């Protein structure tokens, strides 16, 4: 997918008034260095920062670029949204008269688009009368926004109990490579398609081609594609395309929120690659790097994206973002900058993933501003605090347990440790998206069932159960049935064993 001839023609057609006097204000390419193009203009004012331009070569090819800097009174420096192979100095450059515009509305539902709104799923082209919106827009004013306090039930036990999500809020899944971020986001898409009446917009930032293809097939087979828009900036595309893909997806979501007054679920995988693409662009533009080599504009770029995600009037945009943590370093500037903007932080633990505790959500490091008795209720807040306290106490005892064993603990410490282990296993859950690999159907659990199950374990109602009975189940009733079946199997095997000994 790239921004070549078809996109350039579409973007040019979005502003017919720009045709007047275009010949006098056209520019010429004076230098090309990969994705960076310097363009000189002989007449008129220079195009503003973030404006789109179209570079045309002598063979009929074209590429869309975005202005990023004014070098002097007549020259701008721009970043290309596609490869610049075949372009040369002296090529003609046309003004568009505004930022890149992308198609929005019902026409894009069920389609896969690139950063410029070009169809990438091999289907029919979009209708010519589809509404268009610029990808750059100011965030809603503070007075127009409404608070996000309604719970967004996911059916995933550990999320609903310990890091409740807000409808109209922002949640981020932080984790290193291979701990299950993408699987968790995919499960949330599946869960929302089952119980959520709104629309979904998925932004694949720096995704592998295989991942995009698999997601398109999964959504087609599950029948939820007609309520979803997929926007991809793939890993093999220039940094400019990966940098602007989240803005394209957000623009589509904003249209449904503002014009159609519909709730929208915005999913982004992976926001770290958005920051990474911005760092690449910054380096190409010759800016001095900041902390750990990141771009000096890191905070403002992340804020420009995150502050547009808001609830306005009777409709909301709810964002769920996957964030890669480089080398599992949660003090990385990109991670801390993104974390400052989210309401719910879901931290994925490598050690829990190694133990097979999926989803590998760290119950201690994860947090949510909604976990307040005034929002979720007294019982929910109390159970969540008790679960955290038990697991934290168990972690404090793990060094002693690993050296001396559980038998050396005092009676109270041993009871807490055993219940904490059962809680950790009860908070695991089979996912619908992993059914094809594990053969275990996915489970969705209500918040009430999750709270009741955890309270029973905390109160000692499962002290004589096998830990395996609580692993990878939905409700506590399912675990009870699993425990009863195991006991019956043991009872049936006992006479046979006794007879064999005789």
């Amino acid at each position: 997918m790239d921004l070549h001839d078809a996109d350039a023609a579409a973007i040019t057609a979005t502003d017919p008034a720009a045709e007047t006097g275009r010949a006098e204000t056209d520019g010429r390419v004076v230098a090309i260095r990969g994705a960076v193009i310097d363009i000189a203009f002989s007449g008129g004012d220079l195009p503003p920062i973030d404006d789109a331009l179209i570079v045309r070569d002598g063979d009929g090819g074209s590429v869309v670029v975005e202005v990023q800097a004014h070098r002097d009174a007549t020259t701008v420096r721009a970043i290309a949204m596609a490869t610049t192979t075949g372009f040369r100095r002296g090529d003609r450059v046309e003004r568009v008269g505004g930022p890149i515009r992308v198609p929005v509305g019902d026409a894009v539902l069920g389609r896969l688009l690139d950063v410029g709104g070009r169809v990438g799923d091999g289907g029919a082209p979009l209708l010519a009368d589809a509404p268009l919106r610029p990808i750059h827009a100011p965030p809603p004013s503070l007075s127009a926004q409404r608070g996000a306090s309604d719970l967004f039930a996911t059916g995933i036990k550990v999320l609903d109990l310990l890091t409740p999500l807000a409808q109209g809020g922002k949640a981020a899944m932080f984790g290193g490579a291979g701990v299950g971020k993408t699987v968790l986001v995919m499960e949330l898409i599946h869960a929302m398609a089952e119980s959520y009446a709104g629309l979904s917009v998925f932004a694949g930032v720096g995704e592998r081609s295989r991942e995009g293809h698999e997601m398109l097939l999964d959504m087609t087979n599950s029948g939820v594609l007609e309520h979803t828009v997929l926007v991809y900036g793939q890993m093999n595309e220039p940094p400019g395309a990966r940098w602007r893909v989240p803005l394209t997806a957000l623009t589509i979501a904003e249209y449904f929120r503002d014009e159609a007054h519909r709730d929208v679920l915005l999913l982004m995988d992976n926001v770290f690659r958005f920051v990474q693409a911005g760092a690449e662009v910054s380096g190409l533009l010759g800016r001095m790097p900041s902390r750990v080599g990141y771009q000096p504009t890191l905070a403002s770029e992340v804020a420009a994206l995150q502050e547009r995600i808001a609830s306005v009037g009777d409709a909301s945009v709810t964002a769920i973002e996957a964030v890669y943590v480089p080398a599992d370093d949660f003090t990385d500037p990109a991670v801390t900058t993104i974390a400052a903007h989210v309401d719910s932080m879901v931290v994925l633990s490598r050690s829990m993933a190694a133990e097979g505790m999926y989803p590998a959500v760290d119950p201690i490091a994860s947090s949510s501003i909604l976990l307040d008795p005034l929002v979720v209720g007294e019982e929910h807040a109390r159970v969540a605090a008790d679960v955290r306290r038990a697991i934290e106490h168990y972690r404090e005892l793990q060094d002693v347990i690993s050296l001396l064993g559980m038998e050396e603990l005092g009676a109270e410490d041993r009871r807490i440790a055993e219940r904490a282990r059962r809680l950790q296993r009860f908070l695991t859950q089979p996912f619908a998206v992993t059914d094809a690999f594990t053969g275990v159907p996915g489970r969705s659990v209500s918040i009430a069932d999750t709270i009741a199950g955890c309270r029973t374990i905390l109160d000692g109602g499962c002290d004589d159960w096998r830990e395996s009975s609580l692993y990878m189940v939905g409700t506590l009733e399912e675990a009870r049935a699993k425990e009863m079946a195991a006991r019956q199997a043991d009872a049936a095997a006992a006479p046979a064993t006794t007879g064999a000994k005789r």
Side-chain angles (χ1 to χ4, degrees):
M1 295 185 290
D2 56 18
L3 277 174
H4 273 304
D5 306 341
D7 287 309
I11 291 174
T12 306
T14 63
D15 190 4
E19 296 291 341
T20 305
R22 173 166 285 165
E24 290 77 13
T25 58
D26 280 352
R28 294 286 174 182
V29 174
V30 294
I32 298 181
R33 291 176 299 280
V36 179
I37 301 181
D38 289 348
I39 302 165
F41 291 87
S42 57
D45 296 333
L46 291 181
I49 303 297
D50 292 334
D51 258 24
L53 304 171
I54 300 170
V55 181
R56 300 191 185 278
D57 63 14
D59 302 324
S62 60
V63 64
V64 175
V65 301
E66 187 177 89
V67 177
Q68 288 302 314
H70 290 180
R71 298 199 62 208
D72 52 42
T74 60
T75 310
V76 301
R77 179 162 286 175
I79 290 290
M81 297 293 116
T83 178
T84 56
T85 303
F87 292 87
R88 59 187 70 86
R89 285 182 294 177
D91 283 344
R92 185 166 59 90
V93 180
E94 298 176 1
R95 299 174 188 250
V96 170
I100 294 173
R101 293 171 179 251
V102 295
V104 295
D106 292 340
V108 299
L109 286 175
R111 306 307 300 269
L112 187 149
L113 310 174
D114 69 0
V115 64
R118 181 184 177 188
V119 174
D121 53 17
L126 298 176
L127 298 176
D129 59 352
L132 299 155
R133 269 199 172 191
I135 65 171
H136 295 284
S141 64
L142 190 60
S143 60
Q145 298 182 28
R146 60 179 174 85
S149 60
D150 295 334
L151 290 186
F152 199 76
T154 65
I156 300 173
K157 290 181 288 189
V158 66
L159 296 189
D160 289 341
L161 178 68
L162 299 176
T163 60
L165 310 186
Q167 185 166 340
K170 294 184 279 285
M173 319 291 176
F174 294 90
V179 295
K181 295 184 302 298
T182 299
V183 171
L184 190 54
V185 170
M186 289 283 290
E187 180 67 14
L188 284 168
I189 294 174
H190 185 273
M192 297 313 156
E194 297 292 327
S195 59
Y196 184 63
L199 304 171
S200 298
V201 179
F202 179 85
V205 188
E207 289 286 275
R208 302 170 184 86
S209 300
R210 171 188 57 78
E211 292 172 338
H213 183 66
E214 287 176 356
M215 177 167 283
L216 183 61
L217 285 178
D218 288 344
M219 289 194 163
T220 302
N221 295 334
S222 61
V224 302
L225 185 62
E226 62 183 13
H227 301 295
T228 306
V229 185
L230 304 177
V231 187
Y232 276 88
Q234 295 178 158
M235 195 175 282
N236 62 335
E237 294 189 67
R242 290 179 272 121
W243 192 35
R244 291 312 190 198
V245 156
L247 298 185
T248 299
L250 183 53
T251 300
I252 294 171
E254 285 175 332
Y255 176 86
F256 286 118
R257 179 196 67 193
D258 299 337
E259 303 299 331
H261 304 289
R262 302 179 69 176
D263 292 334
V264 183
L265 179 66
L266 176 65
L267 302 118
M268 288 189 273
D269 186 10
N270 188 301
V271 181
F272 176 79
R273 295 197 189 111
F274 159 74
V275 173
Q276 201 173 37
E280 292 179 50
V281 169
S282 182
L284 290 170
L285 295 173
R287 294 174 183 152
M288 185 71 70
S290 182
R291 288 189 302 159
V292 200
Y294 285 108
Q295 62 270 44
T297 54
L298 171 63
S300 59
E301 288 175 9
V302 172
L305 173 67
Q306 300 288 352
E307 293 304 309
R308 287 172 62 181
I309 303 170
S311 299
V312 178
D314 58 351
S316 63
V317 173
T318 304
I320 297 175
E321 310 166 9
V323 183
Y324 168 69
V325 180
D328 291 341
D329 179 12
F330 284 87
T331 64
D332 185 87
V335 175
T336 56
T337 302
I338 295 168
H341 290 273
V342 300
D343 306 317
S344 302
M345 266 187 74
V346 180
V347 178
L348 298 174
S349 164
R350 188 171 300 282
S351 61
M352 291 187 66
E355 294 173 10
M357 300 296 170
Y358 289 109
V361 176
D362 188 328
I364 309 303
S366 302
S367 63
S368 171
I369 63 171
L370 269 73
L371 197 56
D372 185 290
L374 298 176
V375 178
V376 299
E378 292 283 351
E379 179 65 10
H380 185 160
R382 188 184 304 112
V383 170
D386 290 346
V387 168
R388 277 209 175 105
R389 193 177 298 113
I391 293 175
E392 191 166 15
H393 189 67
Y394 169 60
R395 288 186 178 180
E396 291 171 356
L397 298 170
Q398 277 186 323
D399 286 343
V400 176
I401 295 170
S402 61
L403 288 172
L404 304 175
M406 291 276 284
E407 295 76 15
E408 297 301 316
L409 296 178
E412 181 63 20
D413 284 344
R414 187 188 304 180
R415 183 163 54 249
I416 293 173
E418 288 174 348
R419 290 176 184 175
R421 287 175 60 86
R422 286 174 171 81
L423 284 168
Q424 285 184 326
R425 280 149 182 78
F426 179 64
L427 292 176
T428 61
Q429 189 170 341
F431 282 172
V433 295
T434 60
D435 186 0
F437 308 104
T438 63
V440 180
R443 304 287 194 276
S444 179
V445 184
S446 69
I447 296 176
D449 287 340
T450 300
I451 295 171
C454 290
R455 173 48 66 195
T456 301
I457 295 171
L458 287 165
D459 291 342
C462 305
D463 284 357
D464 59 341
W465 290 16
R466 297 167 175 80
E467 291 180 1
S468 58
S469 297
L470 295 160
Y471 180 68
M472 284 294 170
V473 297
T475 63
L476 195 65
E477 293 303 316
E478 184 182 343
R480 181 176 283 109
K482 192 174 176 182
E483 174 69 14
M484 294 300 295
R487 290 184 181 183
Q488 290 172 2
D490 288 349
T497 305
T498 304
K501 287 181 178 178
R502 289 177 181 174

